[in-house]
Amino acid sequence: MRNRLRHLATSLAVPALVVAVWEALSRAGVFSAAILPAPSQVLVRWWQYLLPLEPYDPAQGGRLGWLVSGELIQDALGSLYRVVVGFLIGGGIALPLGLVMGRRPVVNALLAPALEIVRPIPPIAFIPLSILWFGLGNPPALFLIALGAFFPVLVNTVAGVRNVDAIYVRAARNLGASEGVLFRRVILPAATPYILTGVRVGIGVAFIVVIVAEMTAVNRGLGYRILEAREFMWSDKIIAGMISIGCCGLGIDVFMDRLNRRLLRWHRGLEG
């Protein structure tokens, strides 16, 4: 317990120092409040952003629904929904495709050139086409998120299948394992660390893309709210939205790290 507290204190030392210096400089008038508001001002705006817009009215529904009716929670839920759905689409296509490409050289030779042409293109570059193809709303945002998540999962899955130790494959074949058993019992488990790394990176990319997509195609979400605040020069709300994005991204990354550690307890690279 003491080690955990010490680790937490060490992790928070630099952010706390940055906030303290920022607050001191803002109060000293070094920064204009309209350009870079003090952390205390940002905190007040963040709290206002979190609170429900209307007073509680029992006739309008339960207290829980009222508590989550604030802009911040609704925007965060909207962004997280797009991240999850877009990632499931992109990752759901990339995973089986990567397994096949990694296992079948012929399929890889056919598809790799076309995919390598598209892979360096940032998903942001597809924004005009996505709006032309899907219009406004969630569809273009989901397309961009799926595209952003697709390649990290695909590349890591292909690499994982290709890097399976040949000794394991030969041993399984010598024991009479069929191709299906070989794939399920040897190749897929050995490639799992690579696949989970691709999933973690893909979710991170999806979260980056969703913010950009919400600035162009939807009318709710953390990205949309930051763009709206920019139009009114609400610097404190912009920073509050950015902090909210960072907290959501950190939460997702911590969750994925815990999930990876749990699923890969058998892997010798995570021992100890």
Side-chain angles (χ1 to χ4, degrees), residues 104-147:
R104 302 296 181 188
V106 174
V107 177
N108 185 72
L110 287 172
L111 298 180
L115 292 173
E116 287 300 320
I117 292 174
V118 179
R119 186 165 71 92
I121 304 174
I124 298 171
F126 286 88
I127 288 177
L129 286 177
S130 67
I131 294 176
L132 286 174
W133 292 343
F134 302 105
L136 299 176
N138 280 330
L142 295 178
F143 168 76
L144 294 171
I145 296 164
L147 185 64

Side-chain angles (χ1 to χ4, degrees), residues 75-97:
D75 289 339
L77 289 175
S79 296
L80 289 173
Y81 165 79
R82 296 182 186 99
V83 167
V84 171
V85 175
F87 175 80
L88 289 177
I89 295 172
I93 297 173
L95 179 58
L97 183 61

Side-chain angles (χ1 to χ4, degrees), residues 38-54 66-75 222 225 235-244 247:
S40 56
Q41 182 180 343
V42 173
L43 180 60
V44 170
R45 172 65 82 162
W46 185 87
W47 182 250
Q48 294 172 347
Y49 187 20
L50 176 65
L51 291 177
L53 297 177
E54 302 291 338
W66 173 75
L67 287 174
V68 299
S69 65
E71 279 187 344
L72 175 58
I73 296 178
Q74 294 300 312
D75 289 339
L222 294 172
R225 202 63 63 185
S235 300
D236 50 359
K237 191 169 185 178
I238 292 174
I239 299 175
M242 293 168 62
I243 293 173
S244 302
C247 291

Side-chain angles (χ1 to χ4, degrees), residues 25 35 66 69 82 86 109 160 220 230 232 241 244 249 259 268:
L25 293 176
I35 303 300
W66 173 75
S69 65
R82 296 182 186 99
R220 194 184 75 176
R230 188 202 69 177
F232 292 97
S244 302
L259 180 63
R268 63 178 179 270

